[in-house]
Amino acid sequence: MRKFIEASILSAAFFAASPLLAQPAEGQPFTASGELETCDCRYGDHTVRLEAGRRYRVSASSEAFDSMLRLYRAGSTDVLAEDDDSGGERNPQVHFTPSQTGDYLVRVVSFTPDGAGAYSLNIEALEALPPPITRATGTEAMSWQVYEGALDANDPAESDMRFDDYALDLESGQSALIRLESEAFDPVVRIYKADQRGMNEIAMDDDSGGGFNSFLMFAPDEAGAYIVRVTSFSTEGAGAYKLRIAR
């Protein structure tokens, strides 16, 4: 069942190629209703006009079936946005900011092939987000401790993976930035309490430092002595590495 929302019944926020489109009425959501019928093509289409750069919230709900939303540019089959349950209670919700002003198609479908029944659609023009903050209130210097080492056959191993352990003492409320780099192997950093080395891992990272390098921020709940373990992703891992720690 296809529906085209006439300009006369839409708020200026969503349709009508008129000067009002540049100044949509925020806080006045448009609602529509429809029904998926028992046939081979169960979907409800609603064509709306959206303004480039404006944020919209599109949501649908149904008590008859598990609804989904898909958003297309009118005349295109490319899905620009899709959602199933972000609106809660198995209802879909999409936040969308078009890059071009024009006609868009909002399609309500069922998550299951046998879904049918009534649904409602809601489209809101949201307030513009405030500009991002660009001016810092101050600066702070950070000092990194640098450790250069290498994994080799003389190092201890667990699960056939060589490792080096480094001591890290943190005071209450203190956190640490830990970066591990290597061009010889895929490095992995693991964190333990000092009295539980190799047991009850608290934190770990593999590739967050870019490429195969590791990076994590460690902010424990309590002060104490910890172990930063330098190891490899694979049992063959060996070679030089550089560990940086900043408190």
Side-chain angles (χ1 to χ4, degrees), residues 7 15 45 57 84 109 176 201 210 213 222 245 247:
F15 213 148
D45 281 353
R57 179 167 56 222
D84 179 16
V109 298
E201 178 181 285
N213 297 314
E222 57 186 31
I245 300 176
R247 291 174 177 79

Side-chain angles (χ1 to χ4, degrees), residues 61-66 90 114-119:
S61 62
S62 175
E63 295 183 357
F65 60 92
D66 184 358
R90 298 196 306 171
D114 58 347
Y119 67 85

Side-chain angles (χ1 to χ4, degrees), residues 128-177:
L129 293 173
I133 298 170
T134 59
R135 185 174 180 179
T137 56
T139 59
E140 293 182 354
M142 181 177 293
S143 178
W144 292 85
Q145 292 176 296
V146 180
Y147 306 88
E148 295 187 3
L151 296 183
D152 55 41
N154 295 321
D155 288 321
E158 283 193 357
S159 301
D160 294 327
M161 300 195 200
R162 301 179 181 94
F163 66 86
D164 288 334
D165 283 349
Y166 292 84
L168 174 64
D169 294 318
L170 294 177
E171 299 176 358
S172 178
Q174 198 174 31
S175 59
L177 296 178

Side-chain angles (χ1 to χ4, degrees), residues 185-198:
F185 61 94
D186 184 356
V188 175
V189 62
R190 303 181 185 276
I191 310 294
Y192 305 92
K193 286 189 174 182
D195 59 353
Q196 299 180 13
R197 293 172 64 177

